[in-house]
Amino acid sequence: MIPMRTGSEPATARSALRARFWLSVWGLVWATFGTVVFALVGRPGWAAACGVLWLVITVDMAVILRHIHQGPRWQPGPDVPPYPPPERRRP
């Protein structure tokens, strides 16, 4: 008997969280740099756009760090309903 999974992803699927983290760090550096430079040269619109981008990157980084700290074997609790099993298609 094959154990039923709760999703339609491959059984060995992994997310490159550390790569996403370092790309977020890189984006955070550039967004900070852009915000400061555009504010100094008197371009408030571009500074605000870089500031919003900085905020989005910061939230994304928090989510990434949360997932890293949960570990690779984290599973949702019993209060989370399972995904419906994938439908088998006949060739």
Side-chain angles (χ1 to χ4, degrees), residues 27-84:
L28 195 66
V29 168
W30 278 105
T32 303
F33 176 76
T35 303
V36 170
V37 168
F38 284 126
L40 290 176
V41 297
R43 300 282 190 162
W46 284 103
C50 287
V52 169
L53 183 61
W54 179 88
L55 185 62
V56 169
I57 293 169
T58 302
V59 170
D60 184 47
M61 189 179 295
V63 170
I64 292 168
L65 287 173
R66 180 173 180 259
H67 287 189
I68 287 173
H69 286 264
Q70 284 177 337
R73 303 281 184 228
W74 180 83
Q75 294 291 316
D79 57 329
V80 178
Y83 294 106

Side-chain angles (χ1 to χ4, degrees), residues 8 26 36 41 51 59 88 90:
S8 60
W26 182 250
V36 170
V41 297
V59 170
R88 302 245 180 206
R90 292 186 175 183

